[in-house]
Structures are given as structure tokens and as C-alpha cells.
Amino acid sequence: MSEVKVVDDFLPKEHFKIVQDMMLGVEFPWYYNHVIDYLDEEGKFQFTHSFFGNHKANSTFLEDWYPILFKPIVGWGILDRIKANLLIKTPEIVENSFHTDIQLSVKKPLTTSIFYVNTNNGYTKFKDGTIVKSIENRLLTFPVNKEHTGTTCTDENTRVVINLLYMSYE
């Protein structure tokens, strides 16, 4: 799968530790969201934190974190959305619905990156069966229109990722 790129140890350890401690700490604000992939998925929910969307910052954390995490990911690209997702531990791993990330009205296709905040036995799965494990400080990048899904985990209390959609100049 040449259109899928995985980079381990994406951030320097000291930068990663700042991001991880903040997002897994008790002061970080998470918001209940009754939607994971589609509105009709009864009983499914997640917690989210929107950093950036609708052409504006949605979080006070964006300013402090942009140089550490987001700038190396998107380079000089144009941001569309940055959102963190937190799924809670389940007795068995639950795969969510396959989907593509939203492509807004831009002429050039967007890119999706998923940054894994903590290691757990959850994963990202592509429609062709390829699985990318949730390993902290890993960055997964692929075209926005590539069908994929995420999962819960069974070995940690939470599975935390940051989803980024952006137009890359590369």
C-alpha cells in the first residue's frame, strides 16, 4: 500500500511527552459526542476535542501545540480540520464503520494523518484488510478518500488519536 505511510517515533521524545501528558491528563477537556462515523450507529459514542475546523481555531490548546505537533505534520500545507478522538475500553475490540474522511470543496485532494497518542491493542483498518496498530508517537498518513475505520481497545482505559485533514504542498 504505497499510498499509506507510517512513521514511528514521529516527534522527538521530549515533545511527544508534552503532548501525551497533556492529552491523557485530568485537565484536558474532552466532549461527549454521540457520533463516531455515522448518525445511525445506535449505542456508539466517543469523546472528542476539536482543535481546528471551519477555518478557525476551536481550542486554546492549538496555539501552544501547533509548533510541537501540527506544524511538522502539515508543513506549509493548508489545514482543514484537527480533531482528537478518545474511545473507552470495551470488553472486546469493536470495529467501527468503514468511512472516508470529509472532503470539503477544495480542488486539490486532502490528506488524512492519524497521530497515535497512546499504545493499546486498538488499530486502524483499511478496507483492503491492512491494519495499522495503535502505537504511541506513530503517524499514519493516507489520501482522504481511502476507506478506513478505527476500533476500541481492551488493554488500556482509552484509545486516543488525533485526526488531521490538510492539503499538502508535497
Side-chain angles (χ1 to χ4, degrees), residues 39-62:
L39 290 174
D40 60 352
E41 293 186 310
E42 192 170 322
K44 287 189 173 184
F45 67 92
Q46 64 182 339
F47 294 90
T48 62
H49 183 96
S50 176
F51 290 99
F52 184 90
N54 295 321
H55 310 289
K56 64 181 172 63
N58 298 324
S59 171
T60 57
F61 290 91
L62 183 66

Side-chain angles (χ1 to χ4, degrees), residues 51-148:
F51 290 99
F52 184 90
N54 295 321
H55 310 289
K56 64 181 172 63
N58 298 324
S59 171
T60 57
F61 290 91
L62 183 66
E63 186 176 312
D64 293 336
W65 286 25
Y66 189 82
I68 294 173
L69 175 59
F70 306 130
K71 191 170 182 180
I73 293 173
V74 299
W76 293 102
I78 299 170
L79 287 174
D80 184 70
R81 181 181 78 193
I82 304 173
K83 179 176 74 102
N85 297 332
L86 181 152
L87 290 168
I88 63 169
K89 179 180 187 176
T90 52
E92 295 179 8
I93 290 180
V94 175
E95 287 186 0
N96 295 306
S97 300
F98 282 103
H99 65 279
T100 59
D101 290 327
I102 298 167
Q103 171 79 40
L104 297 180
S105 58
V106 294
K107 294 187 180 180
K108 186 173 179 184
L110 296 176
T111 299
T112 297
S113 286
I114 300 174
F115 182 76
Y116 298 90
V117 176
N118 65 327
T119 297
N120 56 73
N121 65 356
Y123 51 88
T124 300
K125 184 176 182 179
F126 291 93
K127 195 110 186 213
D128 70 0
T130 300
I131 291 176
V132 177
K133 295 179 180 179
S134 294
I135 297 177
E136 65 185 38
N137 203 9
R138 170 176 276 179
L139 184 74
L140 167 64
T141 301
F142 53 94
V144 73
N145 61 354
K146 188 154 189 67
E147 288 190 86
H148 64 284

Side-chain angles (χ1 to χ4, degrees), residues 5-64:
K5 297 177 190 168
V6 176
V7 178
D8 287 326
D9 299 319
F10 178 73
L11 293 176
K13 287 180 183 176
E14 62 275 9
H15 289 177
F16 173 72
K17 187 75 173 133
I18 292 168
V19 172
Q20 186 181 54
D21 287 350
M22 181 70 72
M23 292 193 69
L24 300 180
V26 297
E27 299 295 322
F28 191 79
W30 291 100
Y31 303 95
Y32 174 81
N33 189 332
H34 69 281
V35 175
I36 293 180
D37 298 315
Y38 300 103
L39 290 174
D40 60 352
E41 293 186 310
E42 192 170 322
K44 287 189 173 184
F45 67 92
Q46 64 182 339
F47 294 90
T48 62
H49 183 96
S50 176
F51 290 99
F52 184 90
N54 295 321
H55 310 289
K56 64 181 172 63
N58 298 324
S59 171
T60 57
F61 290 91
L62 183 66
E63 186 176 312
D64 293 336

